[in-house]
Every structure is written in structure tokens, then in C-alpha cells.
Amino acid sequence: MAAGRLPASVTLLLLLLAATAVAPLASAVRPVSDAHRSAAAELFAASPDGSFGDVERIYEAVRTFQILGVEKDKSLTGEACKVAAEKLASSSSTAKDLFHAVRISGVLGCGVDSGVYDDVATKLKAVIKDTNSLLELYYSLGGLLSIKEKGHNVVLPDADSTFHAIKALSQSDGRWRYDTNSAESSTFAAAVVKNDIVKLFDTIKSYDDGTFYFDEKHVDATEYKGPITTSASVVRGVTSFAAVASGKLNIPGEKILGLAKAFVPLILSLPSKVFSLTSKDQLKVEVTTVFGSAAPPLRVNLVQVLGSDSKVITTEAKELQFDLDSNVHYLDIAPLKIDVGKYSLVFEISLQEPEHETIYAIGGRNTETIFVTGLIKVDKAEIGISDNDAGSVESVQKIDPQKDASVSLSANHLQKLRLSFQLSTPLGKTFKPHQRPSTGSFPGLIEQIFFQVFLKLKHESKVEHLFVVPGSARQFKIDFLGLVEKFYYLSGRYDLELAVGDAAMENSFLRALGHLELDLPEAPEKAPKPPAQAVDPFSKFGPKKEISHIFRAPEKRPPKELSFAFTGLTLLPFVGFLIGLMRLGVNLKNFPPLSAPAVFASLFHEGIGAVLLLYVLFWVKLDLFTTLKYLSFLGVFLVFVGHRALSYLSSMSAKQKTA
């Protein structure tokens, strides 16, 4: 019995549900998101020639959008309605094309005249009357049903003959025939199919979480459909067979449940997988349907906590509390007595209402990996110089790596630099991180960050040497005798810096420890030279070297008495001007009494004063060109107002003479 091709809409939906089916291979399972919906829209984009494929594919696209809640794209909607209308109006359209075209119109609400539906109904009734194919009967009856659901009056004129036609193409006991050219019953064939179905379920595969699936042999990459499509095809075929076959199929219940878990699961997920012991973060768990909607009433229990080495930390079951407002189950992690590091949490879900067990599949246990961080304490930190391997210490100084230190050490090439400290976790255990990237999967966490301790020696010539301190070592030493070549025989001052960091360490640090005066032997003739230091490309924009310059000695100046004498001589013209005014008897007898001439006369005198002030400014501040510029404006102003003032005086004088 052929299972038939799985429609693309179902394929896409099952691909989105595949997150559950492949849970052991993925780091986290999340409900359908906007990203998935966007991928759905892109999946059904137009082909390079601008078409959207056949009418069946277009229906699968629009139906998928409807299921996933994707906003209708105007271009796709217009193209789909256009194709549907063409198929409905065409006289050459098959029953299959009409069937899908009517359903497209129903999903998108395309504007199709009722007369077109009447013509389609007539065509489908003719197909029902003349066909000898069960598939064409299915398309025709399905199309008529879709037209009726749109509110049109559809009546099958001879329902009895249609029923007998379907029965004639079937077995008398309701089983499908496997040879359409043979009229006799095929009960034996049906029994063979039942047996083959049971054997097929013997080959079913499973993931670690109890999810079952079917997969086909991977022969041709272009034809390979994957476990989701294969499983859906098997389910479709088995359910179709079971609907028409008498008796029951002897398929184990756990396989049915495991197969259902791949398609209709409740998804358990953690909003965050990184927790801080310092902040006392709560463990939060979300349980939703595959479409992200709220799950039915249920309980979530933490049944087991495993360490990074799969060692059992606790098996005491703890039920998570439920927050109705945020729809989140939560639990304080402090009572779990877990330390910093990576852990695997095992959860179990149980539905509160028995009737929900036939609707939702919760599967078996769900395992989630989390990462716990905290403050790492650094104790017993010492640095010193020893003379030999026996540990004869010449000088030792205690340091606090959490603060910058200023130790001063000196050594020669026959001595060793020793550094020791102890790291402890928030629970007081010795912190022994690994010197390699972690292999777990932590979404949102950069896993290449792993524990390292670095000791850096930086020579005064900017040559640096970096030493990796083993994380398991409580004491680290640098033997200068074996490193003189790597130090390029450079004696002098070396600055010491210590860096400690880890993904689980909230207080990673980089601290200056002080300096070391190192005395190394003279470099041989063929000794390696220190590498050239990289030049900072932005150094040319930095501060320049201070320029030193000596100005020439100022020339000798005359005595200040002589300067004052010449200043007095420059004021003599002004004094003479004032004396002349007094001798002439300056008065305001001829000042115009009328308002308009008085204004021009006042402006004329103020302009004269401005010119005198400009002379003073030229003497003390302004240059010649600036003074001439201002004087040109003042000159034009004085000519205008002076002419008006003098014209008035002239007219007044003429009137007096006439009188």
C-alpha cells in the first residue's frame, strides 16, 4: 500500500516540530517564533520565472501561512487568487486543480463570482458521474464540499449511484483493493498489509528521550526526505489503512506515544541557562505548545541533578512553583547545594487533568544543561625568588591578587621565580578548572572562554613574555637558566602582571604585581635578537616632543622719561584745539530749535566725536586699514547729517536777512 506524498504545508509544519524530534541533538527546544514564520514565508517565494508553481503547491503555501499565523503577503495573495480564478474559469482544469483552487479561494477569500462556482459544481458533478477513479471521486466530492461551505447550494443529484460507484471501486467489506483491474475481494492482501505494518514498526528508531521516528535509507540526496517526512508518510498511510480495515493493528502503545511525541509535544525550555550564585538567581522553566501558546495545567518536577562528569549530585525530587502572571515555573537554586560549573538538570512533566493526556504528549524525562557562576576566592598568594630546586627561598612576599601590588624582586639567571596561590569556590571547595574549552552547549555563552592563569613579564624595552600557569598547580615556577635565550639575554627591569579568568568566575582579574630586576649573562655573538616591536599606527597623532627655542635679546629701549615727553608732544594738537574753541567762544545759540533739524545737528556732533574716538583707537589698538574702513562709513554718515543740519542753518540765515 502506497502512503502517498506528504503535502509541503504538512512538511513545513513537521519541520518546525522537528525541534522536538531531534531534541537529543539540539541544545534547546523553543516554540515557533517569528523567525520560523519568516522562514515559512521565504520557503514559498516565487521561482526565477516569477511563478509560484502549480495550484496544489500554492494551496499548501497559503494553508501553511494560515496555520502558522503568518501575515498574508500581498504579492502572494494576489498571485494565488489570480491562479485560482484562472483554474476555476478554465474548461480544461482537472478535478484536482478545481479542488485546490476552491480551497485557495476559501482560505484567502478571493473575489470569485457565484456563477463561476456554479459552473465548477457542474463540472465536478460530471466528473463524479463518469469517473472510474477513486482519487477523482475524492477531489470532486471534496471540491463540492468546499463550495457548499462557502454558502452555495450544492445538491448531489444521484447520491445513491455515487455511493455505489465508490463501493464498486472498493471491497464489499470496506477494504481498499490493491488491484483496480480485479473485481474480487482481497482479504488476504489486507492481512498481509497488517502484518507488514507490524513488521514496519519493529524497525522504528528512537532518540534518548523516548521519541520514535522512521527514516529511509539515504541513497540519493535529491530524493532523501529525512525522518520527519518519512515518519509523517508512514503515519498517514497507517491511519488511512486503519480507517477502512476491520480489526485492530497490533502496534505497541509506547511506540505510538513515542511517535506522537515527534508531532504533538509540549515543549519544556529554560529562558536562561546561566545562573549566578552571587545574585541568587532562580531556576525558571517554561512549558508551552509548539506554537508558543500556554500549556494546560501541569506540574514540573526536578528529579535529578548531574555534574559535568555525569556524577549524580542529588536525586531528591523538587516540584517547581508556578507563577500565573508570567506563566513560568520557578525554583530557588540555593537549596540544591550546587557549586560553580556545568550541570545537567532532569525534569519530569505531569498533566493535572487526565483528559489532557489524550491531547498532549509529554514524553519522558527532559534534560537541560545549565551553567552556574560565582565569586572565586583567592587565598595564600605569595611570590618570591628561590635559589635551587630544593626550594631554598631567598625572598618571599605575600600579595593580594584582588588589588594592585608593588613588590620589588631581583634575581639572576641561576635563580627561579616562584608564584603560589589557592582558588576556592563559594562552597569552599578547591576550584580545579580545566585547561581546555568546554564541550557542552550553552546558548548565548561564548564557550571558548575557559579558565586560564597567565603571568606576564614585560621588559622595559616593551618585549613581553607570557607564561600559562596550570590550573591544577598550587605553585608555579620560572627557571631563568633554561629561558635565557627566550628572554633574548635582556637584563633589566621586568614588570609583573597576573591574569586569572574563567567562564564560571564572576571576579576575573588582571593585576599588576610589581617588578623584577633580572640579571642575565651577556648575549653571545649569534644570540637571537629581540623581535621588532609593533608600531602603533595612531602614535603619529599623539603629543609631539617639546620644542626648545631661545629668542634673541630685545633691543635697548630709550629711557621712559623720553617716551613720556614725546607722548606729551602728541597731545599738544588736541590741547591747541581746545584752546581754539575757548578763544572762538563756542556756544549753542544757533542750535536748531525744531525737533527734526535738532536731531540731525546732534547726530553731526556725535559723528565728529566718533571720528575723534576712532583716532584714539587707531593710536592704541586698531591698524591703518581697519581705521580707514570705519572712517569711510563715518564720513558718509557725517556728509549726510551735516548737509541737513547746515541746510537748515542756511535757510534760517536767509530768512533773517530778508526780514
Side-chain angles (χ1 to χ4, degrees):
M1 174 181 175
R5 184 176 65 86
L6 188 66
S9 59
V10 180
T11 302
L12 175 62
L13 179 59
L14 296 179
L15 286 173
L16 296 177
L17 296 173
T20 302
V22 297
L25 306 179
S27 60
V29 179
R30 300 293 293 170
V32 174
S33 64
D34 291 339
H36 296 120
R37 296 184 175 94
S38 176
E42 294 176 0
L43 183 61
F44 293 100
S47 58
D49 62 356
S51 65
F52 286 82
D54 58 16
V55 66
E56 180 181 7
R57 184 173 183 271
I58 294 176
Y59 169 74
E60 293 166 353
V62 298
R63 177 59 176 152
T64 300
F65 292 161
Q66 184 186 42
I67 294 173
L68 298 181
V70 178
E71 185 177 353
K72 295 178 181 177
D73 183 82
K74 292 183 179 180
S75 62
L76 176 60
T77 301
E79 181 69 20
C81 287
K82 179 181 177 182
V83 173
E86 291 176 353
K87 293 295 182 181
L88 292 174
S90 175
S91 59
S92 60
S93 297
T94 63
K96 178 181 178 181
D97 291 341
L98 295 174
F99 169 68
H100 290 300
V102 172
R103 296 205 294 175
I104 292 173
S105 178
V107 173
L108 297 180
C110 302
V112 179
D113 295 336
S114 58
V116 175
Y117 285 123
D118 293 338
D119 294 341
V120 171
T122 302
K123 295 177 184 177
L124 294 177
K125 291 176 185 178
V127 172
I128 293 173
K129 182 179 179 180
D130 300 332
T131 188
N132 290 320
S133 168
L134 280 173
L135 196 57
E136 287 194 351
L137 281 172
Y138 167 75
Y139 288 134
S140 300
L141 291 173
L144 291 175
L145 181 60
S146 298
I147 294 174
K148 185 176 183 179
E149 289 175 349
K150 292 181 66 64
H152 295 270
N153 185 22
V154 177
V155 178
L156 200 61
D158 192 358
D160 290 339
S161 62
T162 302
F163 175 77
H164 288 299
I166 296 174
K167 193 173 182 179
L169 295 173
S170 310
Q171 294 186 13
S172 58
D173 57 2
R175 297 184 181 88
W176 295 109
R177 275 211 326 263
Y178 304 99
D179 183 1
T180 56
N181 296 321
S182 176
E184 73 252 10
S185 176
S186 185
T187 305
F188 176 75
V192 172
V193 172
K194 282 186 179 181
N195 186 53
D196 290 342
I197 290 175
V198 174
K199 290 182 178 180
L200 179 63
F201 272 82
D202 291 337
T203 65
I204 196 170
K205 300 178 181 179
S206 66
Y207 296 116
D208 295 337
D209 66 341
T211 301
F212 286 86
Y213 66 96
F214 288 96
D215 199 5
E216 61 183 355
K217 293 183 179 180
H218 196 163
V219 178
D220 185 359
T222 60
E223 296 294 332
Y224 179 70
K225 300 298 182 181
I228 296 298
T229 302
T230 305
S231 300
S233 297
V234 172
V235 171
R236 183 181 180 185
V238 171
T239 53
S240 298
F241 178 81
V244 298
S246 61
K248 296 182 179 180
L249 296 173
N250 296 321
I251 301 175
E254 66 273 9
K255 292 184 178 181
I256 298 296
L257 180 61
L259 194 58
K261 185 179 178 182
F263 303 119
V264 194
L266 288 176
I267 299 177
L268 182 146
S269 59
L270 273 61
S272 174
K273 294 199 171 188
V274 180
F275 302 92
S276 170
L277 295 177
T278 307
S279 303
K280 298 181 180 179
D281 294 340
Q282 287 185 328
L283 172 64
K284 296 182 179 180
V285 174
E286 293 180 348
V287 181
T288 62
T289 66
V290 71
F291 292 104
S293 58
L298 50 82
R299 296 183 181 88
V300 178
N301 292 298
L302 176 63
V303 297
Q304 195 175 49
V305 179
L306 304 175
S308 58
D309 54 356
S310 299
K311 180 181 179 181
V312 177
I313 305 299
T314 178
T315 57
E316 181 182 356
K318 293 184 180 295
E319 182 177 351
L320 278 68
Q321 302 297 315
F322 181 69
D323 184 359
L324 187 60
D325 295 334
S326 59
N327 199 31
V328 169
H329 300 262
Y330 65 91
L331 178 69
D332 292 332
I333 62 173
L336 299 178
K337 300 298 181 182
I338 57 178
D339 216 335
V340 297
K342 184 180 70 172
Y343 295 91
S344 296
L345 306 183
V346 183
F347 298 94
E348 280 188 354
I349 301 175
S350 58
L351 296 168
Q352 296 184 9
E353 303 296 337
E355 58 268 20
H356 289 157
E357 295 180 0
T358 60
I359 303 175
Y360 301 96
I362 58 176
R365 293 186 171 186
N366 296 269
T367 302
E368 296 287 344
T369 303
I370 66 170
F371 199 79
V372 182
T373 65
L375 296 176
I376 303 300
K377 188 177 181 182
V378 185
D379 291 323
K380 301 178 182 179
E382 295 180 344
I383 188 170
I385 302 297
S386 63
D387 292 332
N388 50 50
D389 290 331
S392 176
V393 179
E394 180 179 299
S395 61
V396 173
Q397 298 185 40
K398 294 184 178 181
I399 56 175
D400 183 1
Q402 300 292 346
K403 301 178 182 178
D404 287 336
S406 57
V407 300
S408 179
L409 302 172
S410 61
N412 57 40
H413 66 286
L414 299 176
Q415 294 177 310
K416 300 176 179 62
L417 174 67
R418 293 183 180 272
L419 173 67
S420 63
F421 56 87
Q422 184 175 339
L423 303 175
S424 56
T425 66
L427 296 185
K429 300 179 181 178
T430 301
F431 188 47
K432 296 181 179 180
H434 301 285
Q435 290 284 3
R436 63 177 184 272
S438 81
T439 56
S441 180
F442 305 100
L445 179 68
I446 302 177
E447 297 191 76
Q448 295 303 317
I449 299 178
F450 54 96
F451 178 84
Q452 284 286 18
V453 179
F454 296 102
L455 179 63
K456 183 171 73 173
L457 279 69
K458 185 176 181 180
H459 191 255
E460 52 193 351
S461 63
K462 307 302 181 181
V463 177
E464 296 182 354
H465 304 278
L466 196 65
F467 297 90
V468 179
V469 181
S472 59
R474 293 189 177 183
Q475 190 175 81
F476 174 70
K477 65 180 180 179
I478 299 177
D479 188 352
F480 296 118
L481 181 60
L483 298 174
V484 288
E485 284 194 6
K486 292 186 178 181
F487 275 81
Y488 306 108
Y489 297 90
L490 292 176
S491 300
R493 178 186 173 117
Y494 285 83
D495 292 326
L496 305 175
E497 287 185 351
L498 178 66
V500 179
D502 185 74
M505 188 174 179
E506 296 179 3
N507 55 331
S508 302
F509 59 85
L510 171 64
R511 298 296 179 191
L513 302 182
H515 70 275
L516 168 68
E517 291 291 342
L518 186 59
D519 183 17
L520 298 179
E522 293 293 332
E525 186 175 335
K526 296 183 180 180
K529 300 295 181 182
Q533 299 301 305
V535 178
D536 185 3
F538 297 101
S539 60
K540 61 181 179 181
F541 303 111
K544 303 299 181 181
K545 184 178 180 181
E546 182 180 358
I547 300 175
S548 299
H549 178 69
I550 301 177
F551 291 91
R552 66 180 181 178
E555 296 180 357
K556 188 177 181 180
R557 296 186 178 185
K560 62 180 180 179
E561 292 81 3
L562 184 61
S563 299
F564 286 144
F566 274 93
T567 302
L569 290 175
T570 59
L571 295 176
L572 285 178
F574 181 69
V575 175
F577 173 73
L578 295 178
I579 294 174
L581 291 177
M582 294 174 63
R583 298 280 296 177
L584 292 174
V586 177
N587 55 69
L588 301 176
K589 292 180 180 180
N590 290 329
F591 198 84
L594 298 179
S595 59
V599 170
F600 287 112
S602 299
L603 292 175
F604 178 73
H605 286 83
E606 290 175 359
I608 296 297
V611 172
L612 295 176
L613 178 61
L614 184 62
Y615 289 161
V616 174
L617 292 175
F618 169 67
W619 181 263
V620 299
K621 184 177 182 180
L622 300 179
D623 57 72
L624 178 61
F625 296 101
T626 304
T627 304
L628 291 175
K629 181 176 67 173
Y630 292 147
L631 187 59
S632 63
F633 291 110
L634 285 174
V636 174
F637 175 75
L638 287 172
V639 169
F640 175 73
V641 297
H643 178 267
R644 298 298 297 269
L646 293 176
S647 296
Y648 173 76
L649 293 176
S650 177
S651 64
M652 290 298 295
S653 176
K655 289 180 181 180
Q656 290 177 357
K657 290 180 180 181
T658 304

